[in-house]
Amino acid sequence: MSMASAPDDLSGQTACAGTRSPLRHFLRTETGSAAVLVTAALVALLWANAAPTGYASFWETHLSVGIGTHGLSLSLREWINSGLMALFFFVVGLEARREFDMGELRDRRRLALPLAAGISGMAVPVALFLAVNAGHSSVHGWGAAMSTDTAFALGMLAVVGHRLPSGLRIFLLTITVVDDFVALGVITVAYSEHVDVPALLVAVAVFGVVLLVRALGVRRGLVYALPALVAWVALLESGVDPVVIGLAMGLITYAYPAARADLEHATGLFRMFREQPTPELARSAQAGLASAISPNDRLQGLYHPWTSYLVVPLFALANTGIRLDADQLARAFTSPVTLGILLAFVVGKPLGVLGASALAYGVSRGRVRPPVGWGAVAAGGALAGTGFTVSLLIATLAFRGTQLADAKIGILSALVGSFLISRLLTAVLAVLPRRLRQRALLGDAETLVDLAVPVDPDRDHVRGPRHAPVTVVEYGDYECPYCGQAEPVVRELLGDFGDVRYVWRHLPLTDVHVHAQLAAEAAEAAAAQGRYWEMHDLLLSHQGELRLGHLRTYADALGLDAERFDRDLRSHRGAARIAEDVESADLSQVAGTPTFFVNGRRHHGAYDIGSLSAAVRAARERASIGVRGGVVRGGNASRGGGVERTV
C-alpha cells in the first residue's frame, strides 16, 4: 500500500486485532456520559417543579409483561431501577473483570490498596451518617451515604484533573468498582425485605447452571441471556433486588487480549470468503472474527454505550425529580438526612480514601503504596464523594416522602461540594514548587511495566542517546501505512526532546502485508553492514515499493556490498532476529502496528506529536523523581501463557 492511500488519522493501526485499550475506551465513554447524566438530572428537576403531579404519575404508570397466566406488573420507575439498572451493573462487572484479567489488577499485589481504600471510603461516610442521624428514624438509610458514582467521578476528573496523573483514573475506577460491589451486597442484605427462600434458591441454582455452561466453553450469548433472565425474575420474586445478577454475570465474563494466532486464522477465513463468497464461508468468517475477541470486550463494546447514554440518564430522569423551593431547602438543610449524606460524601469519602491509603502505607512500612502521589490521592478522595446513581437507588429503597426528598437534596448538594473541594485541591497542587508538585502528583510507587522484554542497547536498534532517561519503543511493519504516518512524528519527537532514545522492533504482519517480512530482513541485512537506520528510513518512505528489485536498488543507493546483501536475503540471515522481536511482541500482548511503549508503559490512543510528547514528559518527570519499573506480565493470564520478570 502506498503512502498516498494511507488515511490521515494518527490513531489508526494495522492490526491482527484492535489494540485500543478497553479501559481507555471505558473512561472516555464514562466521562462523555457525565454531561448526559447532568442534563437528565436537570430535566427531572425542572419537570418535577413545573408539573409535580404529572412527573409522579408518569413514573408510577404500570407496565405489564406476561406469557399466558404468568406475568410481571411493575411501575416504569421499578422497571428502570430493577431492570435496566441490572444492565448497568453488568457493565460494571465486565470492567471489574477486565481490570482483574488484563489491567492494573493483573498484578494481584495492587488489589490490596484500592480494596482497603474502597471499603474505608464507604465505612467512614457511613459512620458519619450514623453519628448525625443517631436517635432518628432515618438512621436505617445509612446505605445512601456511601457509594461513589463512576460516571460523575470520572467526568469531574476530566474537568478538574488535566494536571493530575493518568494513574489516578485507574486508582479511582478500581475504588468505584469495589464500591459498587459492596453496595450491591448492602442492597441485597440490608434493603431486601420478606425474602422468599425458595425463589432465592431457584436464582442460585440457575446461576450455577450458568457457571457450568461457562466451564463447558459455550460462547453463544443467548445461552447465557436466557438463564440470566430467569435468575432476574427469581430474584425479583424472592424480594432480593435483582440488579445483583447483572454484576454477577459481568464478573464471570473472561477478558483476554487477542492472540496473533487467532487473528491470523480469522484473516485466513476472510480470505477464503473473499475468494468464494458463500453463506457458509460468511458464517465461518464471522465466527472466526468473533472468537478472536474476548467475550468481555465484545459485550462491553455492545452494552456500555447503552448504559452510559440511556440507562443511567433514564434512571436519573426517573429518580432525581423533587420539589425545590425556599421552604423545602430550608427544612432540608436542617434535616439529619441531608446533613448526614452531605457530610458523609464531602468529608467522609476523602478521609476514608486518604486515611486507608496512609494506614496501609504505614502498616506495610512502605511496601504497599498508592500508584500516584499523596496529593493526587487526596484529590481522588474528594472526587470519590460524587455519589449519585447507587446512592439514589438505595435512597429509594430506604426512604419515603419527606425523608426521600431530603436524601435527594443531600446527594445533589454533595455533588457540588465534592466538585468544589477537588477543584480547590488541584489549585493548591498547581502552585507548589515544581519538584514538590511532581512528588505530590506522581509519588514513588513502582510502575507496572507492559514491555515484557527490556530494551538492550547492545542488541536493539537505538536512535538517540544510548542511556537516555526516556525510551520510546515502536513495534512496526515496513508495509504498514500507519507506521509510515508515525515516522515524521517520531522524528519531530526526537528533535524536540534531546533526552529520548527511540527503538524500532520488527512486527511484520505477514497475513495482511505480503512484503513486510522481506523488508524487515532487508533492514537487518543493511544492519549487518552498519547502515540499519538509513535503510529503515528508505523503507518507510517507499512503502509501496518493497519487492526484491526495489530492495536491491535501495542497497545500491546506500553503497552496500550488493553481493553480501543478496546473500543475506537469500539465506534469511535476519529472520531469527526478527522472530525474536515478534516473540517479544507476543509476550507484551502486541497485536497490531504501530504500537508504542514509553519507558515500558504501553501508549494508548493517538500517536500525534501532542500525545506522544505528553507521554514522554510524564515519563521524564517520573524518571526525575526516581520512580522504578515494577512487575512485567506478558502473555495471556487467562489462557495460562504468561511470563513474569522484574525490570
Side-chain angles (χ1 to χ4, degrees):
M1 182 181 294
S2 68
M3 285 304 297
S5 63
D8 296 328
D9 179 21
L10 285 176
S11 62
Q13 193 176 62
T14 298
C16 297
T19 54
R20 185 179 182 184
S21 163
L23 177 60
R24 287 283 181 170
H25 179 70
F26 180 86
L27 293 175
R28 281 195 293 270
T29 307
E30 284 295 337
T31 52
S33 68
V36 181
L37 186 54
V38 170
T39 302
L42 292 175
V43 169
L45 289 172
L46 291 173
W47 185 2
N49 284 272
T53 303
Y55 177 84
S57 62
F58 177 81
W59 294 112
E60 289 302 322
T61 302
H62 272 250
L63 176 64
S64 299
V65 176
I67 300 176
T69 59
H70 302 283
L72 289 175
S73 180
L74 301 173
S75 68
L76 291 179
R77 183 179 284 117
E78 289 172 325
W79 278 114
I80 292 171
N81 293 359
S82 296
L84 292 182
M85 287 301 289
L87 190 61
F88 165 78
F89 282 108
F90 174 64
V91 174
V92 170
L94 289 174
E95 178 57 22
R97 182 62 192 237
R98 197 213 64 82
E99 272 299 293
F100 200 72
D101 287 345
M102 295 172 58
E104 294 287 317
L105 299 182
R106 69 188 189 273
D107 180 2
R108 300 295 187 251
R109 298 175 303 174
R110 294 176 177 250
L111 181 60
L113 185 61
L115 183 63
I119 293 174
S120 175
M122 302 177 83
V124 174
V126 167
L128 290 176
F129 180 87
L130 291 174
V132 173
N133 285 268
H136 298 276
S137 62
S138 57
V139 71
H140 70 284
W142 53 270
M146 65 182 190
S147 190
T148 300
D149 186 278
T150 305
F152 266 126
L154 295 177
M156 287 189 182
L157 179 60
V159 174
V160 307
H162 59 280
R163 293 190 181 93
L164 296 173
S166 59
L168 180 59
R169 293 175 177 266
I170 300 170
F171 183 63
L172 185 58
L173 176 61
T174 309
I175 289 175
T176 60
V177 168
V178 173
D179 194 306
D180 287 336
F181 188 81
V182 175
L184 271 189
V186 168
I187 292 173
T188 303
V189 175
Y191 295 104
S192 296
E193 300 179 357
H194 311 298
V195 175
D196 185 324
V197 176
L200 181 60
L201 291 177
V202 169
V204 173
V206 171
F207 187 67
V209 172
V210 171
L211 294 178
L212 177 61
V213 170
R214 188 190 67 157
L216 294 174
V218 178
R219 295 177 62 94
R220 293 188 177 276
L222 189 62
V223 177
Y224 293 94
L226 291 178
L229 181 60
V230 172
W232 181 86
V233 174
L235 286 172
L236 187 67
E237 294 295 329
S238 74
V240 174
D241 197 305
V243 295
V244 69
I245 192 62
L247 184 66
M249 293 297 293
L251 288 172
I252 67 170
T253 306
Y254 290 125
Y256 50 79
R260 287 208 322 128
D262 292 341
L263 299 168
E264 289 168 358
H265 175 66
T267 301
L269 291 174
F270 179 77
R271 282 180 173 166
M272 291 173 62
F273 170 72
R274 178 66 179 83
E275 294 167 0
Q276 189 177 4
T278 65
E280 292 79 7
L281 289 178
R283 286 192 295 270
S284 178
Q286 186 178 22
L289 290 171
S291 64
I293 305 299
S294 76
N296 190 292
D297 286 334
R298 287 190 288 107
L299 291 171
Q300 198 173 140
L302 179 62
Y303 291 114
H304 195 280
W306 288 100
T307 59
S308 295
Y309 291 103
L310 180 63
V311 173
V312 175
L314 270 178
F315 174 85
L317 188 63
N319 292 277
T320 312
I322 49 174
R323 291 290 303 275
L324 293 178
D325 53 43
D327 293 338
Q328 172 85 343
L329 292 174
R331 181 189 52 74
F333 283 104
T334 60
S335 164
V337 175
T338 301
L339 295 177
I341 290 175
L342 183 59
L343 186 65
F345 281 119
V346 174
V347 178
K349 275 287 185 179
L351 285 179
V353 171
L354 189 59
S357 301
L359 182 62
Y361 180 86
V363 170
S364 68
R365 298 183 179 180
R367 290 190 298 273
V368 176
R369 60 185 69 194
V372 293
W374 292 106
V377 172
L383 290 168
T386 54
F388 188 77
T389 306
V390 180
S391 292
L392 275 179
L393 182 61
I394 296 178
T396 60
L397 297 173
F399 298 118
R400 293 291 182 273
T402 301
Q403 287 185 342
L404 178 57
D406 292 343
K408 290 180 179 181
I409 292 175
I411 292 168
L412 294 174
S413 301
L415 284 174
V416 178
S418 295
F419 175 79
L420 294 177
I421 291 178
S422 58
R423 189 70 185 88
L424 176 63
L425 286 173
T426 54
V428 170
L429 290 170
V431 299
L432 293 176
R434 181 176 179 273
R435 182 81 176 178
L436 183 59
R437 182 174 67 251
Q438 289 178 349
R439 178 71 66 174
L441 291 175
L442 300 175
D444 57 359
E446 291 183 345
T447 60
L448 190 63
V449 178
D450 301 309
L451 188 66
V453 178
V455 170
D456 181 358
D458 294 325
R459 182 237 177 238
D460 280 301
H461 298 301
V462 178
R463 180 174 254 171
R466 180 179 173 86
H467 299 294
V470 179
T471 300
V472 177
V473 175
E474 177 184 356
Y475 281 94
D477 172 321
Y478 286 119
E479 201 174 354
C480 166
Y482 299 110
C483 294
Q485 284 185 314
E487 177 63 16
V489 176
V490 170
R491 287 184 172 276
E492 186 176 352
L493 186 75
L494 294 175
D496 292 344
F497 296 92
D499 57 351
V500 173
R501 65 179 180 178
Y502 167 71
V503 173
W504 171 280
R505 286 181 175 174
H506 301 290
L507 183 58
L509 303 178
T510 54
D511 57 328
V512 288
H513 295 145
V514 295
H515 304 110
Q517 177 70 24
L518 182 63
E521 291 183 16
E524 291 303 321
Q529 300 186 44
R531 305 298 296 273
Y532 172 80
W533 287 108
E534 292 89 339
M535 179 63 78
H536 170 90
D537 295 341
L538 279 173
L539 294 172
L540 284 177
S541 61
H542 297 83
Q543 290 187 296
E545 300 171 326
L546 297 178
R547 292 180 174 84
L548 182 58
H550 299 126
L551 301 178
R552 287 171 174 160
T553 301
Y554 305 149
D556 290 340
L558 295 176
L560 300 182
D561 182 331
E563 184 178 344
R564 180 183 176 187
F565 181 81
D566 276 353
R567 185 170 61 250
D568 287 346
L569 284 184
R570 286 195 303 270
S571 65
H572 302 287
R573 174 177 176 174
R577 163 62 187 273
I578 296 165
E580 290 177 2
D581 281 357
V582 172
E583 182 182 7
S584 74
D586 289 340
L587 294 175
S588 300
Q589 301 176 354
V590 176
T593 57
T595 295
F596 289 91
F597 294 81
V598 180
N599 273 8
R601 294 302 303 269
R602 185 190 296 268
H603 173 72
H604 295 288
Y607 41 84
D608 58 275
I609 187 62
S611 299
L612 281 177
S613 295
V616 166
R617 281 192 293 269
R620 188 165 58 179
E621 288 179 353
R622 296 189 72 87
S624 71
I625 60 176
V627 177
R628 299 167 294 163
V631 173
V632 174
R633 292 183 183 271
N636 184 345
S638 66
R639 292 184 174 180
V643 300
E644 182 173 312
R645 73 176 64 187
T646 301
V647 228

